[in-house]
């Protein structure tokens, strides 16, 4: 529950900016940790899914949830409240899984997500680190309890991307195709 009346009784949204910080202990053949062009492939679809979408917490009032799904074709059902703090954790989970499953083709080694920063305003942001993901005091992020509407997944370069991520399917690097 939000702590202010405005937050808890009104539909509202923010224009978020997300920063992904990667780390590795070696550089690839192009002398980079990871080619940003490759990062944009599946990651862009996952992050862009939230653009002009209603993020719904599955703990909200069922009538509210139903109304959101009825009146917005772009919606995402989440197992946590849609706050900057939870978005940073959620994006960390999604991108981390994607990176771990991505076929590396340019000599990338031990590339991993170090942190995610989600800016709600110019001066207000939340940052997530690996230790925050499984912290029970922050709420469980169970990928099986996340649902993207068909209006979102149908425009992805791979409409089955999220299902593949959940199942642990090895993802082909688009530059290798």
């Amino acid at each position: 529950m939000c702590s202010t009346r405005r937050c808890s009784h009104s539909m509202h949204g923010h224009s978020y900016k997300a920063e992904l910080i990667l780390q590795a202990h070696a550089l690839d053949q192009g002398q980079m940790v990871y080619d940003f062009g490759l990062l944009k492939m599946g990651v862009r679809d996952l992050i862009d899914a939230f653009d002009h979408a209603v993020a719904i917490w599955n703990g909200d009032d069922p009538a509210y949830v139903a109304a959101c799904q009825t009146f917005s074709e772009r919606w995402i059902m989440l197992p946590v409240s849609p706050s900057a703090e939870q978005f940073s954790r959620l994006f960390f989970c999604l991108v981390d899984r994607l990176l771990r499953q991505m076929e590396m083709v340019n000599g990338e080694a031990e590339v991993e997500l170090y942190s995610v920063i989600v800016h709600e305003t110019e001066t207000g942001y939340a940052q997530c680190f690996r230790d925050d993901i499984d912290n029970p005091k922050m709420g469980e992020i169970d990928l099986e309890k996340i649902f993207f509407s068909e209006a979102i997944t149908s425009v992805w370069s791979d409409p089955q991307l999220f299902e593949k991520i959940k199942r642990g399917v090895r993802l082909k690097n688009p530059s290798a195709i």
Side-chain angles (χ1 to χ4, degrees), residues 10 27 29 54 56 61-62 67 71 74 120 132 134 136 141 146 150 169 171:
S10 302
L27 298 178
Q29 294 168 5
V54 177
I56 310 164
D61 181 282
F71 295 106
R74 291 180 55 84
E120 188 171 295
D132 299 326
D134 296 320
I141 296 181
I146 298 171
E150 185 180 347
V169 171
L171 301 170

Side-chain angles (χ1 to χ4, degrees), residues 6-177:
R6 178 184 282 186
C7 177
S8 65
H9 286 75
S10 302
M11 186 79 120
H12 74 285
H14 297 278
S15 294
Y16 292 102
K17 180 172 84 173
E19 294 182 53
L20 308 177
I21 302 163
L22 304 180
Q23 70 178 3
H25 300 289
L27 298 178
D28 68 11
Q29 294 168 5
Q31 298 291 291
M32 299 176 279
V33 168
Y34 194 74
D35 185 335
F36 290 148
L38 299 176
L39 192 61
K40 291 177 183 176
M41 303 296 179
V43 172
R44 176 179 287 156
D45 284 339
L46 291 173
I47 302 296
D48 189 58
F50 290 82
D51 185 38
H52 288 87
V54 177
I56 310 164
W57 180 19
N58 65 9
D60 274 329
D61 181 282
Y64 172 75
V65 170
C68 288
Q69 291 175 319
T70 299
F71 295 106
S72 180
E73 69 176 16
R74 291 180 55 84
W75 55 264
I76 304 163
M77 180 70 69
L78 303 172
V80 292
S81 178
S83 64
E85 292 81 1
Q86 295 295 21
F87 279 144
S88 69
R89 294 180 68 233
L90 179 65
F91 293 164
F92 193 106
C93 287
L94 294 172
V95 173
D96 186 57
R97 290 281 292 266
L98 185 138
L99 277 175
R100 289 175 184 271
Q101 291 169 221
M102 185 63 69
E103 176 185 42
M104 300 295 174
V105 296
N106 196 33
E108 301 92 349
E110 302 172 30
V111 176
E112 64 180 21
L113 193 54
Y114 175 73
S115 85
V116 173
I117 300 172
V118 173
H119 295 265
E120 188 171 295
T121 65
E122 284 295 316
T123 57
Y125 65 89
Q127 185 169 11
C128 174
F129 296 94
R130 188 167 302 281
D131 290 346
D132 299 326
I133 298 308
D134 296 320
N135 183 338
K137 295 179 182 178
M138 293 187 180
E140 180 185 14
I141 296 181
D142 180 352
L143 296 185
E144 293 297 328
K145 294 181 179 177
I146 298 171
F147 300 95
F148 293 91
S149 70
E150 185 180 347
I152 291 173
T153 60
S154 66
V155 298
W156 285 353
S157 54
D158 178 357
Q160 293 300 308
L161 176 64
F162 185 58
E163 292 305 314
K164 289 176 181 177
I165 290 171
K166 288 192 304 186
R167 291 193 322 265
V169 171
R170 190 81 173 147
L171 301 170
K172 284 278 189 199
N173 188 315
S175 69
I177 298 173

